[in-house]
Amino acid sequence: MKLVLTEFVTLDGVSQGPGSPTEDTSDGFTRGGWLVPYIDEVFVQRTAEWLHRADGLLLGRRTYDAFARDWPQITDPSDPYTKLMNSLPKYVVSTTLREGDWQPTTVLAALDGVDELKKRSGGELQVHGSARLGCSLLMAGLVDVVRLVVAPTVLGAGRRLFEHRMDAVGLKPMRHELTPRGLALFEYETVGAASVGEYEGFSAFV
């Protein structure tokens, strides 16, 4: 399976609490719900298409607990995500969780289990939220694709996606799209270590 990291972020890189002011108030965060004003039909269509490529969800403990609390409560038959979110296999990387009650759930004690999952045939193993896990997976060279939905807002506070110390990672742009309400959708393929260079004047690039 291909490992895909999907994240919603602001222009200043905040990934905490995109869907509601009460979604994640840890560390005193009070600015949640920043994605909601920009959600439109194109965003829903595209993210639903992404989810349909998944053969499993890979989550950290914090995100798993929030998803397990909220997704089973959504009963709207027209919701494009609920059936898949509740039925797809869930894999949780955690050293404290022994078993999950949002079935089907498998607990992985270490990233070694992720490497084994990737060797299975199938579509995508998708990480949603779980910023700390996502950074660990990137650092371990396990992420194949990064999908970002960037909201046109600057919060100035909140937990940032790539704030954790990690090695530099190179990304190759694959696709991009701007939705009618201003969400920027980016898809990147990971290409190993990030490249660097030294500017030697305009003539070197023409």
Side-chain angles (χ1 to χ4, degrees):
M1 285 193 286
K2 183 181 293 186
L3 182 53
V4 179
L5 176 62
T6 300
E7 298 285 349
F8 304 154
V9 297
T10 64
L11 280 174
D12 55 340
V14 175
S15 60
Q16 185 173 2
S20 167
T22 59
E23 178 183 355
D24 182 355
T25 58
S26 59
D27 302 318
F29 183 62
T30 60
R31 303 180 185 180
W34 43 266
L35 182 75
V36 178
Y38 306 103
I39 292 176
D40 55 31
E41 185 176 350
V42 172
F43 165 83
V44 172
Q45 179 181 349
R46 206 65 69 235
T47 50
E49 289 172 358
W50 293 345
L51 188 59
H52 274 83
R53 301 177 193 174
D55 281 333
L57 304 176
L58 179 62
L59 308 169
R61 172 67 185 271
R62 186 200 300 263
T63 301
Y64 175 81
D65 286 344
F67 282 9
R69 177 195 65 215
D70 297 337
W71 280 106
Q73 306 306 316
I74 300 175
T75 58
D76 182 356
S78 65
D79 185 281
Y81 314 109
T82 303
K83 183 177 180 180
L84 279 172
M85 290 296 291
N86 286 319
S87 63
L88 280 168
K90 271 75 70 172
Y91 302 95
V92 189
V93 180
S94 175
T95 58
T96 57
L97 187 68
R98 294 292 173 260
E99 60 181 23
D101 53 11
W102 186 31
Q103 297 301 322
T105 292
T106 301
V107 179
L108 307 176
L111 294 185
D112 293 347
V114 177
D115 196 30
E116 291 302 313
L117 285 175
K118 288 192 62 181
K119 294 176 182 177
R120 298 181 182 180
S121 61
E124 296 181 353
L125 179 62
Q126 295 183 356
V127 180
H128 294 267
S130 308
R132 291 185 181 89
L133 174 61
C135 287
S136 296
L137 294 166
L138 271 175
M139 192 161 50
L142 293 171
V143 175
D144 299 298
V145 174
V146 176
R147 290 192 186 114
L148 297 179
V149 175
V150 183
T153 185
V154 175
L155 291 186
R159 195 166 52 251
R160 286 166 173 78
L161 174 57
F162 297 124
E163 66 183 356
H164 313 291
R165 182 176 294 275
M166 59 185 293
D167 295 333
V169 177
L171 300 172
K172 178 183 177 182
M174 302 298 289
R175 297 175 188 81
H176 64 275
E177 183 176 7
L178 188 66
T179 74
R181 290 192 179 178
L183 292 172
L185 315 183
F186 297 103
E187 184 169 320
Y188 302 92
E189 179 182 15
T190 56
V191 292
S195 300
V196 297
E198 185 170 338
Y199 182 67
E200 298 180 352
F202 176 73
S203 60
F205 303 97
V206 296

